[in-house]
Amino acid sequence: MYFLIDYENVKNAGMRGTDYLQANDSLILFFSKYTPNMETRYLLDIQKSGCFFDTCKLVKTQKNGLDFYIASKLGEIFGQGYRGNAVIVSKDTGFQAVKDYWTSRAKPAHKVVLSESIELGIISANEHDERTEQIRTGLKPADISAFFANYQEEQRLRQLLQEVFSDTEYIGRTAEMEEIIKSSKTAKVVYLSTLHCFGRKDGLAVYQRLKNCAKL
């Protein structure tokens, strides 16, 4: 996916989602002398992703200069044969005309997404992949009280396992036990999962202690 960032317009808020960039993405950052800096975390995310990264600084200050740069670059990208999704990250409503041209007038048509941030652009592109679902899940509202109750239960279980296995050779593997318990709906599933994870002999020893834990 191509991301064309109108950085002078969106600034750091538009960079939300850099941690979801992938090696097959391309990101071009359009900026001017008025926006020379970015929070380091976003730049490090871009670097870590392995995506193609380029910058384009406005040569001469002029009204809508970066908008014309972005529109021109998009034409260059599609003209070179790119057929994937392109996301323009900007709050400037004028880019709607660019989208309309490439989706309605151009032949062949190309999908152009307008978004205020990288992560929202990924969702709008709707590529039905894992990262899209991860972002959607992360943006869903969650009940604070229910979340906190679950958090407290996890802390209780973690502490309990530490206490039960503190005098055993399995103390370094309580995280695996915690995952088994959280992902198992019945005691039988806990038993089978424990044997699978620890082997028959060690699994039986671990399970004997697990089943004696409160609420297990």
Side-chain angles (χ1 to χ4, degrees):
M1 193 182 305
Y2 257 96
F3 298 91
L4 291 81
I5 315 294
D6 184 2
Y7 188 64
E8 188 175 64
N9 180 275
V10 296
K11 301 182 177 61
N12 286 298
M15 304 308 296
R16 286 185 55 180
T18 50
D19 49 331
Y20 289 101
L21 291 171
Q22 300 173 344
N24 58 348
D25 290 322
S26 297
L27 187 149
I28 305 176
L29 191 67
F30 295 83
F31 69 107
S32 71
K33 65 180 181 180
Y34 300 111
T35 52
N37 300 315
M38 179 185 294
E39 291 178 11
T40 302
R41 56 177 172 159
Y42 296 127
L43 293 169
L44 291 177
D45 280 344
I46 294 170
Q47 182 182 47
K48 184 169 60 176
S49 74
C51 73
F52 171 80
F53 177 46
D54 196 9
T55 64
C56 186
K57 186 176 181 180
L58 186 65
V59 174
K60 185 178 180 181
T61 302
Q62 52 190 306
K63 185 178 180 180
N64 298 325
L66 286 178
D67 295 3
F68 290 118
Y69 274 29
I70 292 171
S72 298
K73 185 62 180 180
L74 186 62
E76 179 184 331
I77 292 167
F78 287 148
Q80 291 174 344
Y82 177 69
R83 293 292 179 265
N85 293 322
V87 178
I88 297 177
V89 178
S90 178
K91 293 183 287 186
D92 190 334
T93 57
F95 283 114
Q96 183 63 48
V98 176
K99 176 181 178 179
D100 290 344
Y101 175 81
W102 286 107
T103 58
S104 303
R105 299 288 300 175
K107 297 188 183 304
H110 296 271
K111 185 171 182 178
V112 177
V113 172
L114 306 182
S115 177
E116 295 184 4
S117 70
I118 291 171
E119 66 179 7
L120 294 179
I122 293 172
I123 290 177
S124 296
N126 197 28
E127 292 192 339
H128 303 290
D129 56 2
E130 183 178 350
R131 71 171 172 181
T132 303
E133 293 308 311
Q134 287 177 342
I135 296 173
R136 282 179 176 151
T137 299
L139 292 175
K140 288 180 180 178
D143 182 276
I144 296 173
S145 296
F147 180 88
F148 183 63
N150 184 64
Y151 168 81
Q152 288 182 307
E153 175 58 21
E154 287 190 356
Q155 294 300 307
R156 182 201 69 81
L157 176 59
R158 194 163 297 153
Q159 180 62 34
L160 182 59
L161 290 172
Q162 288 290 321
E163 292 172 359
V164 170
F165 289 92
S166 61
D167 61 342
T168 73
E169 61 186 289
Y170 311 112
I171 184 61
R173 302 184 66 182
T174 55
E176 296 172 72
M177 302 174 201
E178 183 179 346
E179 186 58 35
I180 288 172
I181 293 169
K182 289 193 296 185
S183 61
S184 302
K185 294 183 178 180
T186 66
K188 182 177 181 181
V189 176
V190 172
Y191 171 73
L192 294 174
S193 297
T194 303
L195 294 187
H196 177 76
C197 183
F198 291 87
R200 181 169 181 79
K201 181 180 177 181
D202 289 344
L204 286 172
V206 170
Y207 180 72
Q208 287 302 316
R209 295 209 177 207
L210 285 180
K211 74 176 184 178
N212 293 324
C213 292
K215 296 185 181 180
L216 295 185

